[in-house]
Amino acid sequence: MDALALMLTGLSDLSLYFRFQAGVGRPPRPALLLRMLCPSGASWIATRDDTVVGHAMWAWAVGSPGTAELAAVISDPEQRRGLGVRMLAIAAADAIAAGATHFLFVVSAANDASLRMVRRRWPDATAERDGGLLVFRAPARVPAQDKPLKNFLMSSTSRSGASSAAK
């Protein structure tokens, strides 16, 4: 938990806002870290040289059976190198294996990089505007990846035994 807190503390204000759409304390509250590490689905961290540089997760969307919300946050120096897509691909495959039929992405309308990624990787996603956010819903599938990644270690932080039928 401390290593993830350290990564989040090192993020720019903009990266924190784009991931959480709200202010996040420095260091982040333990309750936030617990939700990130123990969601209703599963979560992963990526490390480089024993330092956490990324986190991805999926969680069952409340009130929408079979729908998993996917999310990731990557340290500022590691952004735009394919790590986020790789982590989301792992999360997507796991969510599908758990029974997800659709994915949900909640993205700030100002987050051009994430908007491009969702539209490129899930071109059949539909979007609805919710204030300053775009909420995408897409058929569940694993996104294609452009480039292989080297020097990263990905490890699962949690995996829920809950099925989509129970949500």
Side-chain angles (χ1 to χ4, degrees):
M1 192 174 325
D2 291 342
L4 179 59
L6 185 61
M7 184 201 85
L8 294 176
T9 299
L11 288 174
S12 66
D13 290 340
L14 187 59
S15 289
L16 279 171
Y17 180 76
F18 280 165
R19 169 57 181 91
F20 299 102
Q21 286 93 41
V24 173
R26 291 183 200 243
R29 296 174 312 284
L32 172 68
L33 296 169
L34 188 59
R35 282 194 306 271
M36 291 177 73
L37 295 172
C38 301
S40 63
S43 66
W44 295 262
I45 59 167
T47 59
R48 181 193 294 269
D49 301 326
D50 298 322
T51 300
V52 173
V53 295
H55 173 271
M57 61 180 280
W58 70 267
W60 293 114
V62 176
S64 188
T67 300
E69 182 175 350
L70 299 181
V73 61
I74 306 300
S75 68
D76 290 337
E78 299 294 339
Q79 291 177 13
R80 292 172 175 61
R81 295 182 180 190
L83 179 58
V85 173
R86 176 69 179 132
M87 293 189 80
L88 287 174
I90 291 167
D94 191 76
I96 290 168
T101 58
H102 289 87
F103 292 147
L104 192 69
F105 302 91
V106 180
V107 182
S108 168
N111 189 342
D112 293 332
S114 290
L115 292 172
R116 281 192 309 272
M117 186 275 304
V118 170
R119 288 179 174 136
R120 180 173 179 207
R121 307 296 174 174
W122 288 274
D124 47 356
T126 58
E128 290 185 24
R129 192 161 186 87
D130 182 6
L133 302 175
L134 290 173
V135 180
F136 290 91
R137 182 175 164 86
R141 67 174 183 71
V142 178
Q145 298 163 60
D146 294 333
K147 48 189 161 188
L149 293 176
K150 297 178 184 175
N151 303 321
F152 288 101
L153 175 64
M154 309 256 190
S155 57
S156 177
T157 64
S158 72
R159 181 163 277 109
S160 171
S163 72
S164 62
K167 298 292 169 192

